[in-house]
Amino acid sequence: MRSLNIGFHPASALYKYALGRLLGWGRYVNRFQYPSGHSPVPTPARHYINLFLERYDCDVRGRCLEFAPPYYRERYISRPEVVSYDVWDVDESQGTTLVGDLQDASGVASESFDCIVMTHVLCNVERPWLAVNEARRLLSPGGLILCTAPMVLQGYAPHPHDYWRFTPDAMRSLFADFSRLEVHSYGNAATASGSPQYLMCEHFSSATLNYHDPACPSIVACAAWK
C-alpha cells in the first residue's frame, strides 16, 4: 500500500486522497439505486428542474405540451391561462395524448402549441437536433420551450435509449435558430460528482445544494422563444 506523508500534503490533497478511498469503499457498501416510494425521485437534478420551472412559471400558458412522464402536469393544468395540456411519449402509456417520435413529428400540425415543457428528454433522443427543429415547428410564433438536460446522471437511463449529456454550449447550438434564448446552469462539483453515487437532495446541505457553478453544473437548462 502506498504511504501517505500527511505532513507534506495540503488540505486539498488530503481531501482528495480521503475522497478517493471513500468512493472506492462505496463500491462495496453503496446501493446504486433510487430510494423507493418516491415519484419523482428527490435527486438534485429534480430539485434544479423545479428551480428552473419556477423561474418561468408565469410564461406557461395557452396550449401546453409535456413529455412523459408528466411530472409537472398538475402544476400547470388547473391554471386559467392554460387552455389545454397534452402529454407526449414515444410509446402509448397511461395519460398519453400524443404518441410519436419527436425526431419526425410530421403527423402533428405546425404551431400546435404555445408552450413545450421538455425536461431531460433530449438525452434519450438519438438525433436531438432533429427533435429541437420539430419542437420549434410545433410552436406558435412567440411560443416557448422550457428544456433541461443533464451534464451528469445517476446512471444509464433507457427510456427508450440513453444517448447524450449536454453542456451550455450544446444548448446554445441546438437552440440557435430561436429568436430569444436564455441558458442556465444548476449545481456544482459536489452535486455533479454525487449523482453517479445516487446521492439525493437530503445528502447535501442546503448551501451546497443551492450553489451553482457554471464551470461544473449538474444540469443545464434553457428557455427558448420562437
Side-chain angles (χ1 to χ4, degrees), residues 85-158:
Y85 204 98
D86 282 290
V87 177
W88 182 315
D89 202 350
V90 67
D91 297 309
E92 188 170 354
S93 58
Q94 185 175 5
T96 299
T97 57
L98 288 172
V99 178
D101 186 345
L102 186 58
Q103 297 169 107
D104 180 8
S106 55
V108 182
S110 299
E111 302 182 5
S112 291
F113 303 103
D114 303 300
C115 182
I116 298 177
V117 178
M118 187 185 297
T119 58
H120 282 39
V121 172
L122 295 182
C123 52
N124 303 120
V125 177
E126 185 174 5
R127 296 177 291 275
W129 52 91
L130 298 182
V132 172
N133 287 341
E134 280 290 74
R136 183 177 181 275
R137 179 183 65 80
L138 297 177
L139 274 183
S140 61
L144 171 65
I145 290 180
L146 296 175
C147 177
T148 69
M151 275 197 69
V152 182
L153 274 183
Q154 276 71 29
Y156 181 59

Side-chain angles (χ1 to χ4, degrees), residues 48-195:
Y48 298 140
I49 292 171
N50 282 324
L51 291 181
F52 170 67
L53 293 179
E54 286 172 5
R55 187 181 189 120
Y56 295 97
D57 267 351
C58 62
D59 296 300
V60 178
R61 60 185 66 228
R63 300 161 299 167
C64 297
L65 170 67
E66 182 181 353
F67 289 84
Y71 290 133
Y72 304 102
R73 182 178 182 273
E74 296 306 313
R75 180 189 192 120
Y76 297 120
I77 191 145
S78 61
R79 297 187 175 188
E81 60 268 29
V82 172
V83 174
S84 61
Y85 204 98
D86 282 290
V87 177
W88 182 315
D89 202 350
V90 67
D91 297 309
E92 188 170 354
S93 58
Q94 185 175 5
T96 299
T97 57
L98 288 172
V99 178
D101 186 345
L102 186 58
Q103 297 169 107
D104 180 8
S106 55
V108 182
S110 299
E111 302 182 5
S112 291
F113 303 103
D114 303 300
C115 182
I116 298 177
V117 178
M118 187 185 297
T119 58
H120 282 39
V121 172
L122 295 182
C123 52
N124 303 120
V125 177
E126 185 174 5
R127 296 177 291 275
W129 52 91
L130 298 182
V132 172
N133 287 341
E134 280 290 74
R136 183 177 181 275
R137 179 183 65 80
L138 297 177
L139 274 183
S140 61
L144 171 65
I145 290 180
L146 296 175
C147 177
T148 69
M151 275 197 69
V152 182
L153 274 183
Q154 276 71 29
Y156 181 59
H159 182 69
H161 303 285
D162 191 354
Y163 294 102
W164 305 98
R165 301 295 178 261
F166 295 84
T167 65
D169 289 338
M171 300 294 267
R172 293 186 186 96
S173 177
L174 286 170
F175 291 87
D177 291 336
F178 285 69
S179 65
R180 178 183 167 196
L181 179 65
E182 296 179 1
V183 178
H184 306 276
S185 298
Y186 294 90
N188 55 76
T191 57
S193 60
S195 184

